[in-house]
Amino acid sequence: MTGLDLLAKTGSRGLFIAGQWRESNTGARFQVHDPADESVITDVADGDTSDAMAALDAAVSVQADWAATAPRERGEILRRAFEAVIDQADDFAELISLEMGKTLAEARGEVTYGAEFLRWFSEEAVRIHGRWMQAPAGGSRLLTIRKPVGPCLFITPWNFPLAMGTRKIGPAVAAGCTMIVKPAELTPLTMLALAQVMDEAGLPAGVLNIVTTHHSKELSSTLMADERLRKVSFTGSTPVGKVLVRQSADQLQRMSMELGGNAPFVVFEDADVEAAVDGAMVAKMRNMGEACTAANRFLVHESVARQFGDLLGARMGALRTGRGQEAGTDVGPLINDDAVQSIGQLVADAVDDGAEVLCGGSAPDGPGHFYSPTVLLGVPAQARINREEIFGPVAPITTFTTDEEAIALANDTEYGLASYVYTRDLARTIKVAEALEFGMVGMNTGLLSNPAAPFGGVKASGFGREGGFEGIEEYLDTTYVALPV
Ligand code: ADP
């Protein structure tokens, strides 16, 4: 088996609507490219708005029956899907690596992480509670009933083709919602393979529908204009998130928005600097820096900045770029040429602003969308690279002198998703964790993502939480019943 073999049962990599693989109504298709060399991997159906409406019709028609299934049954389907993904983990990893570019080791990590949402929510399906209480004034009783919100639209990005889907699909299935998934046009293949797995795990036809398309804007505006769609969960850029929130106004769909980040990675003078470098490698280089949780701004106390920079530069400089599927590759290609160009411009601007290049600083020669892992020291706080999401393997270091300055710098961003802090001082740990305006704080760790934890942001990073006990709440409405006695 290879990754592409996972697609053998998907028709000709068609749309998955009402439990059937089929071509788009227009018969149009679009190509999927290998980001390492732009060669064509394969093509998929290019759905239009009539296909999207067919998917919504399918989701709506089975919503009531699906909501009425036993929670245990929904949980068992998710559990079987989890096991099937893990059984085929190497194939899923290869498929993810092929279409997105990340190394096989990174892709294997995503499979474990992505599958875990299926397992976590298989366990949550049977733990949906209402409550029962006596009214404060006595007499009546208050009862709450939890119900699935109804048909959902999920729009996912290209950086985690499996996990960004499962962390929406898992809780929606557990809660009893039906759904339409529109994967990123750059990486649609993994979602097709997942749909096949969910089907074989026993998910009834129509509960999960997949529409691959090049017409995202038309698809979202058509579906969201329909009052039968009750919820949208989006992971992607802040500008698109804002468009979707505006679009939701007329039908008042419930929204979950997991948007951009600009994560600070703060190293205080009392930190274990070697541990901080280990953490920085994870926080920066997971997914080649193409993650909304990626450390974007390294804020390091002036007394340890040179030591931290030299150690990080040595580690980053030793990484090998190459095709994700090749043995010995540490860093795969970026997603496309635009990404390489925009990162190159951010680095050039930082150098113009006086930054010192400790390693990297350019794109390697040759074909493919590669950028060499780069560490920059002495980056001014206001440099463009500190204000924009880099989404690549570049670590800019800015120094600070006081705790207050570090906190102010860390919070000086419109975003509020992930943040990281290295210190060994307990009082400082508490003070900083409370002062940071971010949805997530990693204390002496470079890895935050955990299916059992509530993932999400504040400010321009969006709202809503994925994973944890909170994740299923996004898919449940509450009905309160007054019971006078
Ligand atoms: P990224 O920078 O990760 O590509 P985008 O926000 O552009 O972020 O894309 C994330 C997802 O949103 C992709 O699936 C893309 O196709 C989709 N998308 C982009 N624009 C729209 C839109 N107007 N309506 C719905 N989906 C969109």
Side-chain angles (χ1 to χ4, degrees):
M1 280 277 278
T2 70
L4 283 172
D5 291 340
L6 282 176
L7 303 176
K9 295 183 195 159
T10 62
S12 51
R13 298 158 308 287
L15 309 176
F16 188 65
I17 296 176
Q20 303 291 322
W21 291 102
R22 66 165 180 79
E23 286 302 314
S24 63
N25 286 330
T26 62
R29 301 184 66 80
F30 67 92
Q31 294 178 333
V32 183
H33 295 97
D34 179 341
D37 58 11
E38 298 208 34
S39 61
V40 176
I41 302 172
T42 185
D43 59 8
V44 298
D46 190 4
D48 71 359
T49 51
S50 67
D51 297 306
M53 287 310 282
L56 180 59
D57 290 344
V60 169
S61 71
V62 299
Q63 175 60 61
D65 284 350
W66 177 237
T69 53
R72 178 68 76 200
E73 195 179 324
R74 302 197 298 268
E76 294 291 306
I77 292 168
L78 286 171
R79 177 74 202 200
R80 286 194 291 274
F82 159 75
E83 280 169 11
V85 172
I86 293 299
D87 284 349
Q88 302 169 87
D90 289 339
D91 297 321
F92 266 98
E94 192 179 310
L95 191 57
I96 291 170
S97 173
L98 259 183
E99 65 174 339
M100 186 275 172
K102 67 181 79 178
T103 63
L104 287 173
E106 287 269 359
R108 195 69 169 69
E110 182 183 343
V111 174
T112 307
Y113 175 55
E116 193 57 41
F117 286 101
L118 302 175
R119 176 157 67 174
W120 174 263
F121 286 107
S122 78
E123 293 156 349
E124 289 300 283
V126 293
R127 317 223 187 284
I128 299 169
H129 307 281
R131 71 186 155 88
W132 173 268
M133 69 181 279
Q134 188 176 17
S140 61
R141 304 295 187 266
L142 317 179
L143 168 71
T144 65
I145 303 172
R146 311 308 306 281
K147 297 177 185 167
V149 296
C152 305
L153 169 62
F154 298 154
I155 301 175
T156 57
W158 49 263
N159 59 345
F160 290 94
L162 179 71
M164 297 302 101
T166 54
R167 67 182 182 176
K168 301 182 194 307
I169 295 168
V173 167
C177 294
T178 61
M179 66 211 82
I180 303 152
V181 183
K182 190 217 79 69
E185 56 272 41
L186 293 171
T187 58
L189 302 177
T190 305
M191 192 54 63
L192 302 182
L194 181 68
Q196 183 62 34
V197 162
M198 299 295 298
D199 188 43
E200 288 173 9
L203 194 67
V207 174
L208 169 68
N209 305 278
I210 313 283
V211 180
T212 50
T213 182
H214 247 188
H215 311 287
S216 307
K217 197 164 173 275
E218 294 76 6
L219 174 137
S220 74
S221 54
T222 303
L223 289 177
M224 292 177 73
D226 193 311
E227 64 183 9
R228 297 174 302 163
L229 186 79
R230 294 314 318 143
K231 155 118 199 151
V232 177
S233 177
F234 171 72
T235 302
S237 62
T238 296
V240 173
K242 288 181 179 175
V243 168
L244 295 173
V245 171
R246 283 189 202 105
Q247 251 170 225
S248 73
D250 282 342
Q251 306 301 342
L252 290 172
Q253 277 114 358
R254 277 183 65 178
M255 305 295 282
S256 301
M257 290 282 129
E258 208 273 273
L259 309 176
N262 183 353
F265 187 104
V266 187
V267 183
F268 286 97
E269 70 269 31
D270 67 309
D272 176 338
V273 175
E274 287 185 11
V277 171
D278 287 343
M281 289 299 290
V282 178
K284 179 75 252 180
M285 294 308 294
R286 176 165 176 249
N287 223 40
M288 291 109 64
E290 292 176 315
C292 46
T293 51
N296 213 59
R297 299 171 291 148
F298 289 82
L299 306 174
V300 185
H301 191 269
E302 59 181 359
S303 65
V304 292
R306 171 66 61 181
Q307 181 195 3
F308 177 84
D310 285 344
L311 288 171
L312 185 62
R315 294 275 294 275
M316 294 272 280
L319 297 176
R320 276 190 45 190
T321 50
R323 271 183 77 93
Q325 303 84 54
E326 265 165 28
T329 296
D330 300 306
V331 187
L334 297 178
I335 191 69
N336 56 26
D337 192 48
D338 284 355
V340 178
Q341 297 305 327
S342 86
I343 289 168
Q345 201 51 57
L346 287 175
V347 171
D349 285 3
V351 171
D352 281 350
D353 288 343
E356 177 188 348
V357 179
L358 297 184
C359 73
S362 60
D365 293 337
H369 309 133
F370 294 95
Y371 199 86
S372 300
T374 297
V375 178
L376 304 171
L377 186 61
V379 177
Q382 295 308 317
R384 204 160 66 84
I385 200 165
N386 276 337
R387 311 215 65 83
E388 294 182 17
E389 194 171 18
I390 303 170
F391 238 62
V394 179
I397 301 173
T398 299
T399 56
F400 68 86
T401 49
T402 65
D403 287 19
E404 288 63 36
E405 187 188 358
I407 292 167
L409 282 173
N411 286 339
D412 183 19
T413 169
E414 62 179 315
Y415 294 108
L417 189 63
S419 58
Y420 305 89
V421 177
Y422 274 75
T423 175
R424 286 185 277 204
D425 182 315
L426 180 58
R428 182 179 263 155
T429 301
I430 296 167
K431 183 176 85 175
V432 175
E434 289 180 354
L436 286 175
E437 296 162 359
F438 292 84
M440 299 178 281
V441 184
M443 278 293 171
N444 297 312
T445 176
L447 184 66
L448 284 164
S449 298
N450 186 323
F455 186 107
V458 297
K459 295 161 64 181
S461 293
F463 44 80
R465 292 293 179 267
E466 296 192 305
F469 304 122
E470 292 83 353
I472 201 165
E473 293 293 326
E474 306 280 318
Y475 299 93
L476 293 169
D477 280 333
T478 300
T479 297
Y480 145 60
V481 184
L483 295 167
V485 286

